[in-house]
Amino acid sequence: MATEERTLEQKLEALLDQETFPPPDGFREKALIKDDSIYEEAESDYEGFWAKQAEALHWEKKWDEVLDWSDPPNAKWFVGGKLNVAYNCVDRHVEAGNGDRVAFHWRGEEGETEEVTYADLHRDVQKFANALKDLGVEPGDVVGIFLPMIPEVVVAMLACARIGAPHNVVFGGFSPESVRERMEFSDAKALITVDGARRKGKTASIKSQVDEVMGDLKSLEHVIVVKRTGEDAPMGERDHWYHELIEKADDECQAEGFDAEHPLYILYSSGSTAKPKGILHTTGGYLTGVAYTHKVVFDLKPEEDVYWCSADVGWVTGHSYIVYGPLANGCTSVMYEGAPDYPDKDVWFDVIESYGVTIFYTAPTAIRTCMKWGAAYPEKHDLSSLRLLGTVGEPINPKAWLWYHVVVGGERCPIVDTWWQTETGHIMISPLPGITDTKPGSATRPLPGVDARVVNESDGEDAGTEQGLLTLRRPWPGMLRNLYRDEDRFIETYWDKFGRDVYFVGDASRKDEDGYFWVIGRVDDVLNVSGHRMSTAEIESAIVSHGKVAEAAVIGQADEDTGHSVAAFVTLEGSQTESDELVTEIRDHVAKRIGKFARPKRIIWADDLPKTRSGKIMRRLLRDIAEGRELGDVTTLRDPDVMAQLEGRIKERQAEED
């Protein structure tokens, strides 16, 4: 095996010299997009191009105007149009005679399977929509969803969409405290959760944990509980069993057409403060964007493909490319409940082989983890069904790209490295697999209809081939419409830097001589750990809430496995003693407040933190010192001696780790 690994390593090293990878032989001929004219079409008639994509959906009433951009940054798409998202994702496929088509091959952590057809979704979505209405949920009421990767999460999202109730899905890895915070911020009227959730053979009691933090939340009138694991779930006056509501609900629920700008969902994303941002997406533009990009980026053929996005529905990738995009396109997907290494490290590849997956979309973090485990795991399985691979979440390094290409894709599958955000709603920069020569590590070119530019920070002018800031120069259908109940922050965060008609992405990037984009990473205080975006302020707030901590500063360090890892500089209350036990205690405290994925990988004790005379923590200097770089300007520090003390602490810590 060691010889095989060395041979693979040599092959990957040799491929690093290959600058571009054209579409595999024969792929272009069968691809949906076969030539570059689509870029010219989009550029010559931008609004007409997006109107053409919108026409692929079913509209109860066609729009009067494609785009209203009269008051930037307040965009309105398909003005006057009406549609129902659930109808587009379910009903129209059933009416077209495809009710027996599998919407989801679901596989549980212990190997259980369930086949969910479009007819099944049609039945359950209507019944659960009626159940919500029976509880008094009306259009505009926010419904929270805190569920694991089970079919009921899709039913819940679509039922909310059917009746015009914006949903607020919370990632299953978040703590109950984080769920409460998101329900409180959004004034959620109902919450859909589960008795228990499984992870790597263990079952956590979810309902009882939720009860501990939700008791006095005034807006929350109903808690609906899915019975999934048999875990004890205490039920009070406002609690309802999901299966009982479904059983007594009426069978038919008319899919009413809602205005194209009606809110579809809120999704809380980390920002540069401790308070999460409620990203608001609306109906017509968002569904147009996710359906179109899902089709062309993945070269989707719904009658033939089995598509698998390995993300969680609690993140925007799950919203756009597990639920709304795939279902709008009527395709067959895989939904997997568990972790990539349970019951063993080959489980993902077993899923691909078992269901004949043709399109696989995952994160660079997962690819790097599989690399670390070794090629023996994918090589145990027949992966010949795969014809296209995708990556999402953070920039992928060339070595991981090549491993994915060779070991998983067998050198026959194009790779679509996609760049987008919670805020953009759908993919913005990506290869079109039938026509784009790819470069490992580059998301290549903006999609047709997208105007992205790299500019200088100082004047907003084109940066040429130098590193600069990524911006989007005109509206796109799936763009966020606001931050929920926080319009000032919406403008300040995204639209103040270069003008109200230029969207500031928050990522550093460069564009090479071929016009290919290379996204480098965040320029603000937001970390990307294993594809999970978290603000430094949010983690700092969790650390400081520990009774023994006086102050904390969090930075992200480059990590070959997770993209970023969290490093925390921590100052204790005067009487407290530094210890390994306290390190564990603080890490566990962060896990409880936010989630395990937010735990600091390193905790560095600090007598004080580097601050300006105004009291601002200089995280730039902390990053320099943590990564062994020469320190930048320290003249603005209130106490320059702090850096010398921290350097000593870093050296002590490194000696311990060595």
mmCIF file of all heavy atoms in Angstrom, residues 238-261:
data_model
loop_
_atom_site.group_PDB
_atom_site.id
_atom_site.type_symbol
_atom_site.label_atom_id
_atom_site.label_comp_id
_atom_site.label_asym_id
_atom_site.label_seq_id
_atom_site.Cartn_x
_atom_site.Cartn_y
_atom_site.Cartn_z
ATOM 1 N N ARG A 238 -47.719 23.517 24.306
ATOM 2 C CA ARG A 238 -47.521 24.076 22.965
ATOM 3 C C ARG A 238 -46.851 23.080 22.011
ATOM 4 O O ARG A 238 -46.555 23.418 20.873
ATOM 5 C CB ARG A 238 -46.688 25.354 23.032
ATOM 6 C CG ARG A 238 -45.240 25.142 23.458
ATOM 7 C CD ARG A 238 -44.476 26.466 23.429
ATOM 8 N NE ARG A 238 -43.107 26.287 23.915
ATOM 9 C CZ ARG A 238 -42.231 27.274 24.060
ATOM 10 N NH1 ARG A 238 -42.580 28.510 23.754
ATOM 11 N NH2 ARG A 238 -41.011 27.029 24.503
ATOM 12 N N ASP A 239 -46.622 21.856 22.484
ATOM 13 C CA ASP A 239 -45.898 20.855 21.703
ATOM 14 C C ASP A 239 -46.854 19.958 20.924
ATOM 15 O O ASP A 239 -47.946 19.621 21.405
ATOM 16 C CB ASP A 239 -45.026 19.984 22.611
ATOM 17 C CG ASP A 239 -43.958 20.790 23.341
ATOM 18 O OD1 ASP A 239 -43.567 21.850 22.807
ATOM 19 O OD2 ASP A 239 -43.528 20.371 24.431
ATOM 20 N N HIS A 240 -46.407 19.546 19.728
ATOM 21 C CA HIS A 240 -47.217 18.691 18.861
ATOM 22 C C HIS A 240 -46.306 17.662 18.200
ATOM 23 O O HIS A 240 -45.202 17.991 17.758
ATOM 24 C CB HIS A 240 -47.899 19.506 17.748
ATOM 25 C CG HIS A 240 -48.544 20.770 18.218
ATOM 26 N ND1 HIS A 240 -49.858 20.844 18.618
ATOM 27 C CD2 HIS A 240 -48.044 22.038 18.352
ATOM 28 C CE1 HIS A 240 -50.152 22.084 18.960
ATOM 29 N NE2 HIS A 240 -49.062 22.829 18.809
ATOM 30 N N TRP A 241 -46.790 16.440 18.085
ATOM 31 C CA TRP A 241 -46.067 15.428 17.313
ATOM 32 C C TRP A 241 -46.337 15.653 15.820
ATOM 33 O O TRP A 241 -47.478 15.792 15.397
ATOM 34 C CB TRP A 241 -46.500 14.018 17.700
ATOM 35 C CG TRP A 241 -45.968 13.559 19.026
ATOM 36 C CD1 TRP A 241 -46.685 13.350 20.166
ATOM 37 C CD2 TRP A 241 -44.608 13.260 19.335
ATOM 38 N NE1 TRP A 241 -45.861 12.930 21.176
ATOM 39 C CE2 TRP A 241 -44.571 12.854 20.694
ATOM 40 C CE3 TRP A 241 -43.411 13.281 18.615
ATOM 41 C CZ2 TRP A 241 -43.397 12.492 21.341
ATOM 42 C CZ3 TRP A 241 -42.225 12.913 19.256
ATOM 43 C CH2 TRP A 241 -42.222 12.526 20.593
ATOM 44 N N TYR A 242 -45.275 15.666 15.055
ATOM 45 C CA TYR A 242 -45.363 15.860 13.604
ATOM 46 C C TYR A 242 -46.284 14.824 12.969
ATOM 47 O O TYR A 242 -47.160 15.165 12.157
ATOM 48 C CB TYR A 242 -43.944 15.768 13.030
ATOM 49 C CG TYR A 242 -43.837 15.729 11.521
ATOM 50 C CD1 TYR A 242 -43.719 16.899 10.776
ATOM 51 C CD2 TYR A 242 -43.807 14.507 10.841
ATOM 52 C CE1 TYR A 242 -43.590 16.865 9.391
ATOM 53 C CE2 TYR A 242 -43.685 14.453 9.460
ATOM 54 C CZ TYR A 242 -43.577 15.631 8.743
ATOM 55 O OH TYR A 242 -43.451 15.576 7.382
ATOM 56 N N HIS A 243 -46.108 13.543 13.331
ATOM 57 C CA HIS A 243 -46.881 12.484 12.671
ATOM 58 C C HIS A 243 -48.371 12.589 13.001
ATOM 59 O O HIS A 243 -49.224 12.250 12.174
ATOM 60 C CB HIS A 243 -46.331 11.095 13.039
ATOM 61 C CG HIS A 243 -46.452 10.735 14.490
ATOM 62 N ND1 HIS A 243 -45.537 11.147 15.428
ATOM 63 C CD2 HIS A 243 -47.391 10.008 15.167
ATOM 64 C CE1 HIS A 243 -45.878 10.670 16.618
ATOM 65 N NE2 HIS A 243 -47.009 9.993 16.488
ATOM 66 N N GLU A 244 -48.700 13.075 14.185
ATOM 67 C CA GLU A 244 -50.108 13.224 14.539
ATOM 68 C C GLU A 244 -50.741 14.381 13.765
ATOM 69 O O GLU A 244 -51.897 14.292 13.330
ATOM 70 C CB GLU A 244 -50.253 13.446 16.052
ATOM 71 C CG GLU A 244 -49.889 12.205 16.872
ATOM 72 C CD GLU A 244 -50.019 12.441 18.367
ATOM 73 O OE1 GLU A 244 -50.301 13.598 18.771
ATOM 74 O OE2 GLU A 244 -49.826 11.478 19.143
ATOM 75 N N LEU A 245 -50.000 15.474 13.598
ATOM 76 C CA LEU A 245 -50.509 16.592 12.799
ATOM 77 C C LEU A 245 -50.751 16.170 11.354
ATOM 78 O O LEU A 245 -51.763 16.538 10.742
ATOM 79 C CB LEU A 245 -49.520 17.761 12.833
ATOM 80 C CG LEU A 245 -49.326 18.481 14.172
ATOM 81 C CD1 LEU A 245 -48.266 19.570 14.023
ATOM 82 C CD2 LEU A 245 -50.639 19.087 14.656
ATOM 83 N N ILE A 246 -49.805 15.395 10.803
ATOM 84 C CA ILE A 246 -49.922 14.920 9.421
ATOM 85 C C ILE A 246 -51.158 14.034 9.255
ATOM 86 O O ILE A 246 -51.905 14.146 8.273
ATOM 87 C CB ILE A 246 -48.653 14.135 9.014
ATOM 88 C CG1 ILE A 246 -47.485 15.099 8.762
ATOM 89 C CG2 ILE A 246 -48.900 13.252 7.807
ATOM 90 C CD1 ILE A 246 -47.364 15.634 7.368
ATOM 91 N N GLU A 247 -51.368 13.138 10.224
ATOM 92 C CA GLU A 247 -52.473 12.181 10.131
ATOM 93 C C GLU A 247 -53.831 12.868 10.066
ATOM 94 O O GLU A 247 -54.723 12.449 9.324
ATOM 95 C CB GLU A 247 -52.431 11.224 11.333
ATOM 96 C CG GLU A 247 -51.337 10.165 11.224
ATOM 97 C CD GLU A 247 -51.177 9.381 12.520
ATOM 98 O OE1 GLU A 247 -52.011 9.589 13.441
ATOM 99 O OE2 GLU A 247 -50.214 8.598 12.631
ATOM 100 N N LYS A 248 -54.016 13.936 10.836
ATOM 101 C CA LYS A 248 -55.340 14.551 10.894
ATOM 102 C C LYS A 248 -55.515 15.737 9.949
ATOM 103 O O LYS A 248 -56.613 16.301 9.842
ATOM 104 C CB LYS A 248 -55.668 14.975 12.330
ATOM 105 C CG LYS A 248 -54.772 16.040 12.918
ATOM 106 C CD LYS A 248 -55.142 16.274 14.381
ATOM 107 C CE LYS A 248 -54.268 17.368 15.002
ATOM 108 N NZ LYS A 248 -54.572 17.538 16.437
ATOM 109 N N ALA A 249 -54.451 16.117 9.235
ATOM 110 C CA ALA A 249 -54.546 17.260 8.316
ATOM 111 C C ALA A 249 -55.265 16.873 7.030
ATOM 112 O O ALA A 249 -55.239 15.715 6.596
ATOM 113 C CB ALA A 249 -53.145 17.779 7.991
ATOM 114 N N ASP A 250 -55.894 17.838 6.394
ATOM 115 C CA ASP A 250 -56.540 17.609 5.098
ATOM 116 C C ASP A 250 -55.498 17.255 4.042
ATOM 117 O O ASP A 250 -54.332 17.651 4.123
ATOM 118 C CB ASP A 250 -57.297 18.857 4.658
ATOM 119 C CG ASP A 250 -58.539 19.107 5.499
ATOM 120 O OD1 ASP A 250 -58.997 18.157 6.157
ATOM 121 O OD2 ASP A 250 -59.028 20.257 5.498
ATOM 122 N N ASP A 251 -55.946 16.528 3.017
ATOM 123 C CA ASP A 251 -55.030 16.028 1.997
ATOM 124 C C ASP A 251 -54.579 17.094 1.005
ATOM 125 O O ASP A 251 -53.460 17.046 0.498
ATOM 126 C CB ASP A 251 -55.682 14.885 1.208
ATOM 127 C CG ASP A 251 -55.889 13.650 2.068
ATOM 128 O OD1 ASP A 251 -55.195 13.521 3.086
ATOM 129 O OD2 ASP A 251 -56.751 12.821 1.705
ATOM 130 N N GLU A 252 -55.438 18.027 0.683
ATOM 131 C CA GLU A 252 -55.140 18.976 -0.389
ATOM 132 C C GLU A 252 -54.945 20.383 0.159
ATOM 133 O O GLU A 252 -55.732 20.859 0.980
ATOM 134 C CB GLU A 252 -56.260 18.974 -1.434
ATOM 135 C CG GLU A 252 -56.381 17.652 -2.181
ATOM 136 C CD GLU A 252 -57.418 17.713 -3.288
ATOM 137 O OE1 GLU A 252 -57.911 18.830 -3.573
ATOM 138 O OE2 GLU A 252 -57.742 16.656 -3.854
ATOM 139 N N CYS A 253 -53.890 21.025 -0.340
ATOM 140 C CA CYS A 253 -53.602 22.401 0.028
ATOM 141 C C CYS A 253 -53.268 23.168 -1.244
ATOM 142 O O CYS A 253 -52.252 22.899 -1.892
ATOM 143 C CB CYS A 253 -52.425 22.475 1.015
ATOM 144 S SG CYS A 253 -51.955 24.151 1.468
ATOM 145 N N GLN A 254 -54.129 24.071 -1.624
ATOM 146 C CA GLN A 254 -53.939 24.842 -2.852
ATOM 147 C C GLN A 254 -52.626 25.616 -2.795
ATOM 148 O O GLN A 254 -52.302 26.253 -1.802
ATOM 149 C CB GLN A 254 -55.102 25.822 -3.032
ATOM 150 C CG GLN A 254 -55.065 26.610 -4.325
ATOM 151 C CD GLN A 254 -55.329 25.733 -5.547
ATOM 152 O OE1 GLN A 254 -56.020 24.720 -5.456
ATOM 153 N NE2 GLN A 254 -54.761 26.121 -6.670
ATOM 154 N N ALA A 255 -51.857 25.544 -3.898
ATOM 155 C CA ALA A 255 -50.590 26.274 -3.983
ATOM 156 C C ALA A 255 -50.862 27.674 -4.502
ATOM 157 O O ALA A 255 -50.962 27.899 -5.701
ATOM 158 C CB ALA A 255 -49.610 25.535 -4.899
ATOM 159 N N GLU A 256 -50.980 28.606 -3.581
ATOM 160 C CA GLU A 256 -51.280 29.998 -3.942
ATOM 161 C C GLU A 256 -50.043 30.676 -4.528
ATOM 162 O O GLU A 256 -48.919 30.450 -4.064
ATOM 163 C CB GLU A 256 -51.721 30.735 -2.675
ATOM 164 C CG GLU A 256 -51.982 32.213 -2.868
ATOM 165 C CD GLU A 256 -52.217 32.932 -1.550
ATOM 166 O OE1 GLU A 256 -52.451 32.249 -0.538
ATOM 167 O OE2 GLU A 256 -52.152 34.182 -1.545
ATOM 168 N N GLY A 257 -50.235 31.502 -5.529
ATOM 169 C CA GLY A 257 -49.131 32.262 -6.090
ATOM 170 C C GLY A 257 -48.778 33.442 -5.205
ATOM 171 O O GLY A 257 -49.645 34.212 -4.807
ATOM 172 N N PHE A 258 -47.467 33.569 -4.871
ATOM 173 C CA PHE A 258 -47.008 34.689 -4.054
ATOM 174 C C PHE A 258 -46.174 35.629 -4.909
ATOM 175 O O PHE A 258 -45.550 35.220 -5.891
ATOM 176 C CB PHE A 258 -46.185 34.196 -2.860
ATOM 177 C CG PHE A 258 -47.007 33.483 -1.830
ATOM 178 C CD1 PHE A 258 -47.065 32.097 -1.806
ATOM 179 C CD2 PHE A 258 -47.747 34.197 -0.901
ATOM 180 C CE1 PHE A 258 -47.837 31.431 -0.876
ATOM 181 C CE2 PHE A 258 -48.531 33.540 0.039
ATOM 182 C CZ PHE A 258 -48.578 32.156 0.051
ATOM 183 N N ASP A 259 -46.152 36.883 -4.505
ATOM 184 C CA ASP A 259 -45.375 37.879 -5.236
ATOM 185 C C ASP A 259 -43.920 37.434 -5.343
ATOM 186 O O ASP A 259 -43.377 36.809 -4.418
ATOM 187 C CB ASP A 259 -45.463 39.218 -4.508
ATOM 188 C CG ASP A 259 -44.857 40.344 -5.328
ATOM 189 O OD1 ASP A 259 -43.635 40.578 -5.203
ATOM 190 O OD2 ASP A 259 -45.595 40.975 -6.098
ATOM 191 N N ALA A 260 -43.311 37.750 -6.475
ATOM 192 C CA ALA A 260 -41.920 37.341 -6.706
ATOM 193 C C ALA A 260 -40.985 37.835 -5.612
ATOM 194 O O ALA A 260 -39.953 37.212 -5.341
ATOM 195 C CB ALA A 260 -41.440 37.858 -8.064
ATOM 196 N N GLU A 261 -41.334 38.947 -4.954
ATOM 197 C CA GLU A 261 -40.493 39.485 -3.890
ATOM 198 C C GLU A 261 -40.962 39.071 -2.495
ATOM 199 O O GLU A 261 -40.446 39.567 -1.494
ATOM 200 C CB GLU A 261 -40.436 41.010 -3.992
ATOM 201 C CG GLU A 261 -39.584 41.513 -5.147
ATOM 202 C CD GLU A 261 -38.122 41.110 -5.009
ATOM 203 O OE1 GLU A 261 -37.559 41.206 -3.898
ATOM 204 O OE2 GLU A 261 -37.533 40.669 -6.025
#
